[in-house]
Amino acid sequence: MQTAIVITEQPVSVSVPVGYSFTLRCRAEARTSLQYQWFCQRQSVCCQIPGATKQDLPITAQQTQLYTCRINDLYRNAVFSDWVKVEVHPCVARGLLPQLWQGEPVIILNPTEQKVEVGKPLLLQCAAMGVPAPSYQWYCNGNVLEHQKKKKLWITHAKVSDSGTYLCCASNSHGEHWTNAVDIHIGSCRSEKFFATGKIALLVGNNRYQHHPNLMAPVTDVFELSVLLKQLGFQVVSLLDLNKAEMVTAVSRFLQLLGKGVYAIFYYAGHGYEHLGRNYMVPIDAPQPYAPENCISVQRILQKMQQQQTALNLILLDTCRKWYNLECALSQVQPLEPWGNIVYGYATSEDAEAYELQDGEFSSGIFMKYLKKHILQEKKVTHMLEDVLEDIGRDPLVTGKQVMEIKHTLKEARSLTDPIRPLGAAVERWGCGHEPPRETVTFPCGARAELRFQHLFSNVMSVCAKLQDPPAHVADAHLMLRQPTEVDDVANLEESRPDQVESLLASVCKQEEQDCIFQLCGLQKIQVDVVLQLDLHYTQLSTKKRTCESLQKILPKSLLGQFFSQRNYAQPKYQNTPAWADPKGQQASLRTGAGHSLPSSNPSNSSSEPEENDESSLSELCSALLRAGPGQDHP
């Protein structure tokens, strides 16, 4: 009865210097005695090694060759061992190997630092000796490169995102050894540098819907993106909870701000859908079911952005792309011009949903979780989005549910970090904003309160008050900031305020405690001047009586809803508007003087001071452009 031959010990590959002596071993078992014969292969010719008929094959390394062993039994059955490689290094420096070398990996070739042009091949090499021959694993910036497990790391078309610090680990059964770390720079070798004549972004987040489920993440995502874009030099309009008419107006005003060479970003977070390649945003007043006539076409907006001769148009859609109304007709949109300046970043793939997650106190979209991680990086915008895509793809929470999609025609390596160089008349148009002053008001009793105006969003404003050190005759002082009951209610804006707006305001103001805060949401809806009243309750020490003194502040409607104004006007002259006055008609004194426009500061977690690109500078820009009248064509 014939029985199988079982190889119990395979020979192993080795990597050794020339002249090194070692032994290849092969062991097998069967019910009969066995015979061994070793073979070698070099230059595609397989040769039997004379006299090599034992289990062990002693070798003194001279040249790189492949070896295998044939095992026969008495019934003329035969099996071959694995082919193994004896790699011989002829030019290894003396003294490189330890005196008592046990076969652990020894690096003999390190990768070298390189600068490679985008799109060109990248080749990194390393080599190590070892018995057994080492296996290899490459790393970039400390991260494992899953498919780079050879001595040579080969990237056929290098991207900017491939830049980083590379090193390789060689390991075998005796241990591991690391190559030197090298920096690899991927970029344009041309002298040409790109710049923007200006940067502007419109961010819209719809949370509270009248006929659809409410969302949680857009308010936080719009806020965080606006902070990051301001760091990149963008002037930002950030808006919450818009109906269709307000979305049309906001887009129209946004388009008027664009011009030749501008970098333009449009971001939308909220309900949405895609139908036959067309994307639609759902306003908060859109009825059920979805229909194009009740929604806003993204492609139509993009077409009008391109007509402004912008250098970069980035559309970020943090919305679902499913379609539920199969009977609805397709909107008619002209094809885009082939100008090579369009980038789409979809939070999810076609016919899929986009997900929110609870991140501590705040909700956040999966897309924004990773976009804010990469958006400040100095690399081509498409490469930055590729990094976002890869991170989302590794998130176990959305594996098989959500994967980002990128589409673009961007022909140049433009980055959101590119500098701004205004052209001609655009210098004044894109001028930097100024730091708006805080105001100090003095009550008749001599107590003073400092006031600060905070724009969390372009249509959400908070007025904060902080009592200064009261005079000696005033005790137990308490401030209150409110809207007087005798003044018309501003569309019940306090009731429509999203809860997360309060949380965001608390996070912004946490470094500086405020005595009282009054918040106005949905500023675009305001049709009348808003009167705010500041009450000071205190005890007069001389009489021990409790006293209240009040001052009022008029916030002009033209200031509050400036970005949405439908009429032609120049920049309002607030010097003619009463500042603070007491209810009896006596005007109060202001430390900074009357007539300052309502300040706005950048909502930043790290500082309570405004940055250059605040909404006040944007308001001036809007006003100047609106003098020519509103646009005739709406998206």
Side-chain angles (χ1 to χ4, degrees):
M1 178 178 178
Q2 297 182 356
T3 58
I5 302 171
V6 179
I7 297 179
T8 58
E9 182 180 351
Q10 295 277 6
V12 297
S13 296
V14 299
S15 179
V16 295
V18 66
Y20 186 79
S21 296
F22 61 97
T23 299
L24 292 180
R25 293 167 51 89
C26 184
R27 299 288 188 273
E29 293 179 351
R31 291 187 177 274
T32 67
S33 59
L34 298 175
Q35 296 176 340
Y36 293 80
Q37 177 62 58
W38 288 88
F39 296 80
C40 69
Q41 178 180 337
R42 57 178 178 269
Q43 298 179 350
S44 301
V45 178
C46 184
C47 303
Q48 179 175 303
I49 303 175
T53 58
K54 298 183 181 300
Q55 294 175 319
D56 295 341
L57 176 64
I59 296 176
T60 298
Q62 297 298 327
Q63 57 184 330
T64 298
Q65 293 187 130
L66 298 177
Y67 292 83
T68 187
C69 185
R70 186 187 65 201
I71 304 102
N72 298 86
D73 64 9
L74 297 180
Y75 300 103
R76 296 186 178 181
N77 297 314
V79 296
F80 282 85
S81 71
D82 296 338
W83 282 96
V84 294
K85 183 177 183 179
V86 174
E87 185 178 35
V88 180
H89 301 278
C91 300
V92 175
R94 292 184 179 182
L96 184 61
L97 287 179
Q99 289 184 351
L100 300 177
W101 188 43
Q102 300 299 314
E104 66 273 15
V106 175
I107 302 296
I108 59 173
L109 177 64
N110 282 285
T112 58
E113 182 173 336
Q114 296 184 43
K115 294 183 179 180
V116 179
E117 187 175 0
V118 172
K120 299 296 183 180
L122 168 64
L123 175 62
L124 295 177
Q125 300 184 74
C126 71
M129 296 187 299
V131 180
S135 58
Y136 297 88
Q137 177 62 65
W138 286 90
Y139 293 77
C140 178
N141 298 327
N143 298 316
V144 175
L145 300 177
E146 295 291 346
H147 304 294
Q148 300 291 353
K149 299 179 181 294
K150 298 181 179 180
K151 290 187 292 183
K152 294 182 179 180
L153 181 150
W154 177 259
I155 298 175
T156 55
H157 299 91
K159 307 185 299 293
V160 174
S161 58
D162 293 324
S163 298
T165 301
Y166 287 77
L167 75 167
C168 187
C169 178
S171 61
N172 64 12
S173 57
H174 298 291
E176 64 181 28
H177 202 86
W178 296 77
T179 67
N180 296 335
V182 295
D183 292 327
I184 304 301
H185 306 274
I186 312 295
S188 175
C189 295
R190 300 168 297 170
S191 60
E192 179 183 4
K193 299 295 183 181
F194 297 104
F195 61 89
T197 59
K199 297 180 180 180
I200 188 163
L202 173 61
L203 317 181
V204 177
N206 285 342
N207 302 267
R208 297 197 169 193
Y209 282 84
Q210 299 173 14
H211 309 291
H212 303 277
N214 288 336
L215 300 173
M216 295 292 292
V219 58
T220 305
D221 292 346
V222 168
F223 172 78
E224 293 186 332
L225 182 58
S226 68
V227 173
L228 294 171
L229 290 179
K230 288 173 184 177
Q231 294 180 36
L232 291 169
F234 279 83
Q235 297 189 67
V236 180
V237 176
S238 57
L239 302 168
L240 294 184
D241 294 332
L242 304 184
N243 59 35
K244 184 183 178 184
E246 292 165 350
M247 289 185 72
V248 169
T249 302
V251 170
S252 178
R253 297 298 176 264
F254 168 65
L255 293 172
Q256 292 179 16
L257 300 179
L258 305 183
K260 185 175 182 180
V262 170
Y263 285 14
I265 295 179
F266 179 79
Y267 170 83
Y268 172 73
H271 284 306
Y273 67 89
E274 182 174 306
H275 181 38
L276 298 178
R278 299 285 189 262
N279 298 96
Y280 298 89
M281 302 174 292
V282 180
I284 62 171
D285 60 342
Q288 291 270 21
Y290 297 149
E293 61 268 22
N294 301 318
C295 301
I296 306 295
S297 167
V298 176
Q299 277 71 26
R300 193 164 293 171
I301 295 174
L302 181 55
Q303 185 180 60
K304 294 179 182 296
M305 290 171 64
Q306 195 180 58
Q307 291 172 359
Q308 304 300 315
Q309 299 183 19
T310 45
L312 172 65
N313 293 317
L314 174 59
I315 305 293
L316 300 173
L317 294 181
D318 198 351
T319 178
C320 296
R321 296 174 67 186
K322 280 186 171 293
W323 174 239
Y324 303 97
N325 190 354
L326 299 179
E327 299 179 356
C328 192
L330 180 66
S331 298
Q332 296 298 318
V333 180
Q334 295 295 323
L336 296 172
E337 296 290 340
W339 289 344
N341 62 348
I342 303 296
V343 179
Y344 276 102
Y346 297 97
T348 190
S349 55
E350 186 176 356
D351 198 36
E353 295 179 329
Y355 289 87
E356 299 180 340
L357 56 84
Q358 191 70 27
D359 188 8
E361 183 180 358
F362 301 105
S363 293
S364 176
I366 290 287
F367 177 56
M368 186 56 62
K369 175 183 177 180
Y370 295 108
L371 179 64
K372 65 185 180 182
K373 174 182 174 183
H374 295 286
I375 196 168
L376 298 181
Q377 295 181 2
E378 186 176 351
K379 57 178 61 176
K380 185 178 179 180
V381 61
T382 53
H383 296 160
M384 178 273 292
L385 291 176
E386 287 173 357
D387 292 342
V388 179
L389 186 155
E390 292 173 3
D391 276 358
I392 293 176
R394 288 189 289 262
D395 193 319
L397 292 177
V398 292
T399 299
K401 299 178 182 178
Q402 178 177 346
V403 62
M404 184 186 166
E405 184 175 346
I406 304 168
K407 296 180 181 178
H408 78 94
T409 62
L410 190 60
K411 62 183 180 181
E412 299 168 326
R414 293 188 180 270
S415 167
L416 298 184
T417 60
D418 290 340
I420 297 177
R421 296 182 187 173
L423 297 177
V427 173
E428 180 179 356
R429 173 181 171 186
W430 293 103
C432 294
H434 56 81
E435 181 176 312
R438 300 183 182 188
E439 299 183 12
T440 300
V441 59
T442 303
F443 288 88
C445 67
R448 296 186 302 169
E450 184 184 58
L451 300 157
R452 183 162 66 93
F453 305 92
Q454 182 82 37
H455 269 282
L456 287 177
F457 304 90
S458 300
N459 64 335
V460 177
M461 184 182 69
S462 298
V463 183
C464 309
K466 176 69 175 177
L467 186 65
Q468 305 296 304
D469 293 335
H473 63 279
V474 170
D476 193 21
H478 177 68
L479 274 178
M480 289 186 61
L481 187 60
R482 60 187 177 89
Q483 184 178 346
T485 55
E486 63 270 16
V487 180
D488 291 338
D489 187 24
V490 187
N492 295 318
L493 296 178
E494 286 290 317
E495 297 179 6
S496 66
R497 175 178 59 207
D499 295 336
Q500 281 190 289
V501 173
E502 284 194 14
S503 299
L504 286 174
L505 179 63
S507 69
V508 170
C509 299
K510 63 183 178 181
Q511 294 184 356
E512 183 176 350
E513 182 180 353
Q514 302 294 328
D515 290 322
C516 53
I517 298 176
F518 187 90
Q519 189 172 133
L520 291 172
C521 297
L523 299 183
Q524 73 277 4
K525 302 181 187 298
I526 295 179
Q527 301 299 320
V528 298
D529 294 345
V530 176
V531 179
L532 297 182
Q533 183 165 307
L534 185 62
D535 298 331
L536 175 65
H537 299 265
Y538 67 94
T539 300
Q540 181 67 256
L541 290 180
S542 60
T543 62
K544 305 298 182 183
K545 291 184 178 180
R546 195 69 178 164
T547 305
C548 176
E549 295 179 358
S550 300
L551 298 174
Q552 288 186 352
K553 172 68 176 180
I554 298 177
L555 303 179
K557 62 178 180 180
S558 59
L559 174 63
L560 297 175
Q562 199 170 77
F563 186 72
F564 282 85
S565 177
Q566 295 287 347
R567 56 193 176 87
N568 303 334
Y569 61 88
Q571 182 71 11
K573 295 183 179 180
Y574 301 115
Q575 286 81 354
N576 298 326
T577 303
W580 284 88
D582 66 32
K584 298 179 182 180
Q586 296 178 344
Q587 185 167 341
S589 62
L590 286 179
R591 182 178 186 184
T592 56
H596 288 280
S597 61
L598 187 64
S600 144
S601 58
N602 174 44
S604 170
N605 289 326
S606 60
S607 172
S608 61
E609 293 297 327
E611 295 188 4
E612 285 186 346
N613 296 293
D614 56 26
E615 279 80 3
S616 63
S617 61
L618 186 57
S619 297
E620 295 172 3
L621 176 58
C622 294
S623 301
L625 293 176
L626 289 175
R627 295 171 193 170
Q632 301 300 317
D633 198 7
H634 294 300

